[in-house]
Amino acid sequence: MKDDKGRIIYVGKAINLKNRVRSYFQSSRNHTPKVIAMVARIADLEYIITASEIEALILECNLIKKHRPKYNISMRDDKNYPYIKLTNEEFPRVYITRKVIKDGARYFGPYTSAGAVHETLRLLKTLFPLRSCRKLDSKRPCLEHHIKRCLAPCAGKVDPETYGEMIKAVGLFLEGRSDAVVKNLKRQMAEAAEELEFEKAARLRDQLAAVEKVMEKQNIVTGSGDQDAIGLARSAAGTCAQVFFIRSGKMVGRDHFMLSGGEEENDQDILAAFVKQYYSQAAFIPREILLPLELGEQHLVAEWLSSVKGGKVQVEVPKRGTKRDLVSMAAGNAAIVLEEQAERLKADTDKTAGAAAELGQYLGLPAAPERIECFDISHIQGSETVASMVVFEGGQPNKNEYRRYKLKTVEGKPDDFKSMQEVVGRRYRDALEKGPVPDLIIIDGGKGQLNSALPIIRAAGLIDVPVVGLAKEFEHIFREGISDPLILPRHSQSLFLVQRIRDEAHRFAITYHRKLRSKRNMVSVLDHIPGIGEKRRKALRDHFGSLAKIKAAEVDELVKVEGMTLPAAEAVYNFFRNKSI
């Protein structure tokens, strides 16, 4: 379903598509507000006929992932998670990646953080002497080989069969099959000892001890097998799905996903949407998936996952025993995630809208200031005087509303008071007619700056808008008609908000000032080059962006600039090569 701009707003599937679509356009008495809003925006329909229900399910997953329609349930955390990649080479490498492509390699993950991946890779390097170099053309081994961290396939120190045995152990270890790794290492160690290869046997013994030490930290939760246990929790903070990864009967990790668009959907539909989206991009599908409740098309999902895995996948809802406990534990963890999410949202609110409301109370305003504008002046001894205006709405910066001003009335004569009068005059000259009108104006600079700006602001018609001055050193706030400053509590959110606004105004002004100063310096240097006038100077500046890049450019690069001739390009090149700037 598409809106009037051709954007896909919903993707769905059905055995009888005609009846499914008709149901949306019949009486809206039983429709949810979400469906009513969606139908009002539908301007066009497009359909695709597939050969089977499984093909329809796969296509639905792919289209939702690609287009992220507004009215479909979607995984908000659908980002590029890190994976561990085991390459498909004669001597494979192991490294971190965020792209899963069909290149014959094996991918393990996703991991919830890059830190977890790097920790796993460090552990692998300790357990197995894997190669880390990208090319196999070295004449002699590197230091990694001498400290027993690499078998040096680049120098021909190991054959592919021996290296391949180690890679099998790496794959088993990453799958969580530590028991199989131990069994293989013990077998290889015994064979090496029988053949009197004691050095190899000692190396395998050390690997075995390290793997067993890692296994001690893993808790057995089920008898055996690979499983994913999925739990679902909902609250005012949102919807969360938690997945427990169980490999060979051991808990090896977990992950959670925040879901959006399901506020009016039932748990069954939300769970079905999550399972389809999650496993459409999963690098590994276990033999058993444990769910908290039945899916409407559970047999179809199981058939699809079996075809993707290339082996039977069971999708079941356990009623009792250890499996049921796992699902309950996953749901409990999902609920904890939502509680933490609610606390974070509350903390974010306290820092933004809550801080603005608190500031309004301290200033005695009738309501919280929704739009706050702050001005700052920047110059060096009166040269390149600029001003910045930053805007905070709801306690958060709205950078689209930021403005910067190149001041004209005080150029070469440092006078911050006149500078402030000019900038507020330019900003509020037609504010009442054109808007927007702020709820609070902050003048950075204290009482003097405030007194210089107030007459201009009031003359522009902004009679009722509160204006305050902010002293630079201690964040004392000066108010109109009150001699004593307002001192906000030291650890209050309102003080932190004022500091953020002031720092942002200062940063924005300084950035603009530096940009103008850089342009001025560039212009002053280029003025000394014969044949470079105003047009060529501007063309060089626009093309290269900085004086350093112009200095480093060769003649053939300079001559490509619009308006430049070969003699002019040679003049620029020779000037910077023969003269110290």
Side-chain angles (χ1 to χ4, degrees):
M1 297 177 177
K2 300 181 178 181
D3 62 11
D4 55 359
K5 295 182 180 178
R7 294 175 299 199
I8 295 176
I9 59 174
Y10 182 76
V11 174
K13 66 177 186 345
I15 295 176
N16 190 323
L17 203 59
K18 186 175 182 179
N19 290 344
R20 172 75 185 276
V21 173
R22 184 191 292 120
S23 69
Y24 286 107
F25 296 94
Q26 292 174 342
S27 173
S28 62
R29 184 181 308 166
N30 298 322
H31 287 169
T32 64
K34 172 183 171 181
V35 172
I36 294 172
M38 180 184 74
V39 171
R41 289 169 172 78
I42 297 173
D44 192 14
L45 296 170
E46 182 180 337
Y47 61 90
I48 301 172
I49 307 299
T50 61
S52 66
E53 287 185 76
I54 290 182
E55 285 189 15
L57 187 147
I58 295 171
L59 181 58
E60 180 190 37
C61 291
N62 291 339
L63 290 175
I64 290 174
K65 182 179 177 182
K66 179 179 180 181
H67 298 288
R68 301 187 69 83
K70 180 178 181 178
Y71 294 100
N72 281 98
I73 299 169
S74 62
M75 290 163 50
R76 277 212 308 261
D77 292 356
D78 185 19
K79 50 183 176 285
N80 291 330
Y81 283 99
Y83 291 79
I84 290 178
K85 180 176 182 178
L86 187 60
T87 61
N88 182 28
E89 301 173 83
E90 185 178 20
F91 298 100
R93 292 181 295 136
V94 180
Y95 58 87
I96 183 174
T97 183
R98 290 183 182 269
K99 290 184 179 180
V100 178
I101 56 178
K102 294 182 179 180
D103 56 355
R106 296 180 66 190
Y107 295 87
F108 301 89
Y111 291 83
T112 54
S113 70
V117 180
H118 290 300
E119 183 63 32
T120 303
L121 290 176
R122 280 194 292 270
L123 180 60
L124 282 174
K125 291 291 289 182
T126 302
L127 299 177
F128 305 101
L130 296 161
R131 80 176 179 97
S132 55
C133 52
R134 296 187 178 183
K135 297 182 180 180
L136 294 171
D137 55 0
S138 178
K139 295 180 180 179
R140 61 180 184 178
C142 65
L143 182 62
E144 291 283 313
H145 174 69
H146 295 295
I147 62 174
K148 311 299 183 184
R149 288 292 182 89
C150 180
L151 297 179
C154 58
K157 297 291 184 179
V158 63
D159 58 86
E161 291 75 19
T162 304
Y163 196 89
E165 285 290 324
M166 181 180 65
I167 290 298
K168 288 180 183 177
V170 171
L172 291 171
F173 182 81
L174 289 172
E175 289 175 359
R177 304 177 189 276
S178 303
D179 291 332
V181 176
V182 168
K183 186 177 179 181
N184 288 340
L185 287 175
K186 286 182 176 179
R187 177 183 56 79
Q188 294 176 44
M189 185 175 67
E191 291 175 355
E194 284 181 10
E195 297 175 6
L196 305 181
E197 296 180 356
F198 299 117
E199 193 172 319
K200 179 180 178 182
R203 176 171 51 81
L204 292 168
R205 178 202 62 203
D206 295 339
Q207 286 185 25
L208 179 61
V211 172
E212 288 177 335
K213 188 174 181 180
V214 172
M215 288 177 62
E216 291 176 1
K217 300 179 182 179
Q218 294 178 325
N219 298 319
I220 296 177
V221 293
T222 61
S224 62
D226 299 335
Q227 300 167 325
D228 280 356
I230 300 176
L232 191 70
R234 304 178 73 176
S235 74
T239 305
C240 177
Q242 179 95 207
V243 185
F244 281 175
F245 309 117
I246 300 150
R247 303 294 179 259
S248 298
K250 297 181 180 66
M251 177 84 71
V252 298
R254 66 174 184 171
D255 201 356
H256 73 269
F257 301 86
M258 298 301 296
L259 308 177
S260 62
E263 293 79 6
E264 299 170 7
E265 307 289 344
N266 58 44
D267 290 354
Q268 191 180 53
D269 291 340
I270 291 174
L271 183 62
F274 169 73
V275 168
K276 288 185 287 186
Q277 290 185 54
Y278 177 73
Y279 288 106
S280 68
Q281 62 187 31
F284 176 78
I285 299 175
R287 290 190 295 110
E288 197 172 16
I289 297 173
L290 310 177
L291 301 178
L293 49 91
E294 297 280 349
L295 301 182
E297 47 191 19
Q298 192 161 304
H299 69 286
L300 185 62
V301 172
E303 189 178 347
W304 165 56
L305 293 175
S306 298
S307 65
V308 174
K309 182 177 177 61
K312 186 172 179 58
V313 175
Q314 289 184 325
V315 180
E316 62 174 298
V317 181
K319 303 300 182 183
R320 63 182 65 86
T322 306
K323 293 180 180 179
R324 181 61 192 174
D325 293 341
L326 278 172
V327 173
S328 298
M329 187 165 62
N333 278 264
I336 292 173
V337 170
L338 289 179
E339 290 177 9
E340 294 172 347
Q341 177 85 350
E343 290 176 2
R344 282 195 296 270
L345 288 173
K346 183 180 181 302
D348 290 342
T349 301
D350 290 344
K351 292 179 181 177
T352 54
E358 185 180 271
L359 179 60
Q361 291 175 359
Y362 281 121
L363 291 173
L365 305 183
E370 172 61 25
R371 181 185 174 98
I372 302 174
E373 296 182 358
C374 180
F375 296 87
D376 186 33
I377 306 294
S378 178
H379 62 82
I380 294 180
Q381 296 181 345
S383 65
E384 304 293 355
T385 303
V386 300
S388 68
M389 182 193 77
V390 299
V391 178
F392 275 57
E393 294 182 341
Q396 299 186 69
N398 183 355
K399 296 190 176 182
N400 291 330
E401 294 289 314
Y402 284 16
R403 296 293 181 267
R404 56 192 187 187
Y405 301 86
K406 186 176 181 181
L407 303 183
K408 306 168 184 176
T409 58
V410 294
E411 184 58 34
K413 299 171 289 182
D415 190 329
D416 287 354
F417 296 157
K418 287 187 176 179
S419 298
M420 189 61 70
Q421 288 176 340
E422 179 185 343
V423 67
V424 297
R426 289 166 63 179
R427 162 64 183 96
Y428 298 119
R429 185 178 298 124
D430 301 315
L432 290 178
E433 291 78 17
K434 298 181 179 179
V437 176
D439 301 304
L440 174 65
I441 300 172
I442 298 177
I443 306 297
D444 187 28
K447 186 181 293 187
Q449 295 278 42
L450 173 64
N451 291 334
S452 66
L454 268 172
I456 307 299
I457 295 173
R458 299 306 182 216
L462 279 67
I463 305 300
D464 299 323
V465 177
V467 185
V468 299
L470 183 62
K472 291 183 179 294
E473 189 173 355
F474 300 109
E475 287 87 26
H476 291 180
I477 297 177
F478 292 93
R479 294 160 290 177
E480 184 179 7
I482 302 176
S483 58
D484 293 332
L486 169 66
I487 303 175
L488 297 173
R490 185 175 178 185
H491 298 293
S492 64
Q493 292 295 340
S494 55
L495 175 61
F496 297 151
L497 174 62
V498 168
Q499 290 172 337
R500 286 199 302 274
I501 295 174
R502 188 269 318 278
D503 292 344
E504 185 70 353
H506 187 61
R507 178 200 64 79
F508 196 52
I510 287 291
T511 302
Y512 186 40
H513 182 266
R514 286 174 179 166
K515 182 178 180 181
L516 292 180
R517 193 169 70 241
S518 175
K519 286 185 177 181
R520 182 194 64 191
N521 292 342
M522 183 190 299
V523 169
S524 63
V525 170
L526 297 178
D527 279 342
H528 297 290
I529 304 176
I532 303 301
E534 183 179 348
K535 289 185 178 179
R536 286 177 177 172
R537 187 176 63 216
K538 183 177 183 306
L540 287 168
R541 185 178 68 229
D542 294 343
H543 183 84
F544 291 100
S546 70
L547 187 61
K549 290 183 179 180
I550 297 176
K551 285 183 180 181
E554 300 294 332
V555 173
D556 57 343
E557 295 176 292
L558 293 166
V559 80
K560 293 178 182 178
V561 177
E562 183 181 358
M564 291 291 288
T565 61
L566 181 58
E570 289 176 342
V572 173
Y573 179 84
N574 292 331
F575 178 83
F576 288 120
R577 295 306 183 281
N578 299 329
K579 182 172 181 176
S580 176
I581 303 301

